Structure formats: C-alpha cells, structure tokens
C-alpha cells in the first residue's frame, strides 16, 4: 500500500509518501514541503497548495491519504489559516477520488512510539527507524507528514487483523 501523509499548513504543508508491501518493511518514496509565500494573496496560496498536491498525487500514485486533524490549543488565527489550507489540501485529495483518513496528534504518537505524549525528537527517531533512514527527514513538517503515513499503515494493519 502507498500512503501519502500530509501535515497541513498555509505557509508550509509537509508531505511524505510511504510504501509497505506484504512484509513488515517500510519504504519512503519521497517527502518534502509545499511552501507558499506570505506576499501572495490567500486565494493564490490556497490554489498553489491544491495544484502542488495534485502533482504529488500524480507522481506517487498513493492509494490513500492520511492527514493530521487540527489541534485546537493553537491561537484562533492559526486555526483559521490551517483550516483554510486543510480545505485546499482535502479538495485536492477528494478530486482525485482518494480515501482520506484523519488522525489526531495523540493517535499518531501512539501508532509510532506506543506513547501518546511522545515528544518531537522521539517521533522523528521512530520515523528514521521505521524507514531505515540515515537521517531524519527535514524540515520537521515533512517528518511529521511521513509519520502520518506510517501511522495509517500501522493503524490499518491493526484494523485488518481485528
């Protein structure tokens, strides 16, 4: 299964594509960030997120998409911009007829570390370990997106056994 993980954001949206076949081995097919520029108007930034997500989907052909849910302890202006970015990203996913799964931060941490209060360093270390990478994916938004893809693969694996 090929999973596209997305860490939504307006200035920078992380993405990561992870493959897992019939074995327990995970492979990272690619990762990065979609960066928008504050000098551009909001509509152009959202359009850029939409089309860049389409290009990633076309290139990697994921079967499903995993995205982080909004974490509400942030300021209301941050929530609004993330919500708008999520809307553009979700629109790109659904127009490609891909299933979308959303995970809260605690679920992602549990799926990777077994501990719902894991810190960023622990999460990044597990991403590196799961994928057998020499280095942690950079920037952090890309590492978070890869973590979401791994979360879905681990969660999907558990659900299929039940």
């Amino acid at each position: 299964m090929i999973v596209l993980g997305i860490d939504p954001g307006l200035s920078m949206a992380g993405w990561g594509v992870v493959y897992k076949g019939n074995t327990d081995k995970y492979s990272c097919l690619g990762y990065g960030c979609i960066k928008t520029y504050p000098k551009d108007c909001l509509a152009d930034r959202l359009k850029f997120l939409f089309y860049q997500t389409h290009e990633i989907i076309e290139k990697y052909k994921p079967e499903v998409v995993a995205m982080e849910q909004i974490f509400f302890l942030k300021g209301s202006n941050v929530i609004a911009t993330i919500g708008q970015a999520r809307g553009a990203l979700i629109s790109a996913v659904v127009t490609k007829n891909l299933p979308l799964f959303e995970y809260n931060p605690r679920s992602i941490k549990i799926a990777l570390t077994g501990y719902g209060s894991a810190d960023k360093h622990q999460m990044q270390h597990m991403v590196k370990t799961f994928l057998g990478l020499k280095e942690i994916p950079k920037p952090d938004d890309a590492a978070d997106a890869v973590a979401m893809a791994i979360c879905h693969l681990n969660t999907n694996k558990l659900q299929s056994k039940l």
Side-chain angles (χ1 to χ4, degrees):
M1 174 180 282
I2 299 173
V3 180
L4 168 60
I6 299 176
D7 182 25
L10 181 61
S11 295
M12 189 175 332
W15 62 271
V17 182
V18 177
Y19 169 77
K20 183 175 179 297
N22 294 332
T23 68
D24 284 337
K25 185 173 166 94
Y26 296 78
S27 299
C28 184
L29 302 180
Y31 61 85
C33 287
I34 305 167
K35 297 177 186 176
T36 68
Y37 300 97
K39 67 174 180 58
D40 294 340
C41 72
L42 177 62
D44 287 342
R45 294 171 80 183
L46 295 174
K47 182 172 72 172
F48 187 74
L49 286 171
F50 178 89
Y51 285 114
Q52 290 297 302
T53 304
H54 264 228
E55 287 185 20
I56 293 164
I57 291 168
E58 286 296 316
K59 180 176 182 179
Y60 292 100
K61 308 277 192 253
E63 297 164 63
V64 299
V65 176
M67 186 180 296
E68 184 177 16
Q69 293 174 334
I70 293 178
F71 186 58
F72 288 101
L73 292 179
K74 297 176 180 175
S76 62
N77 61 335
V78 173
I79 290 171
T81 61
I82 292 173
Q84 291 168 320
R86 283 182 89 249
L89 295 162
I90 290 169
S91 294
V93 169
V94 299
T95 59
K96 292 293 191 177
N97 296 312
L98 291 172
L100 175 67
F101 295 84
E102 297 179 86
Y103 298 96
N104 64 52
R106 184 171 174 77
S107 298
I108 298 164
K109 292 174 182 183
I110 290 170
L112 265 75
T113 69
Y115 178 57
S117 296
D119 63 28
K120 188 166 277 296
H121 176 73
Q122 291 168 311
M123 291 292 293
Q124 291 174 340
H125 176 73
M126 290 308 294
V127 165
K128 179 181 161 188
T129 301
F130 269 107
L131 298 172
L133 300 174
K134 292 181 182 181
E135 296 179 356
I136 294 168
K138 294 290 182 197
D140 290 350
D141 298 286
D144 292 347
V146 172
M148 274 171 258
I150 294 170
C151 169
H152 179 75
L153 289 165
N154 286 347
T155 303
N156 190 51
K157 181 171 122 180
L158 286 173
Q159 289 175 346
S160 65
K161 287 186 177 183
L162 293 175

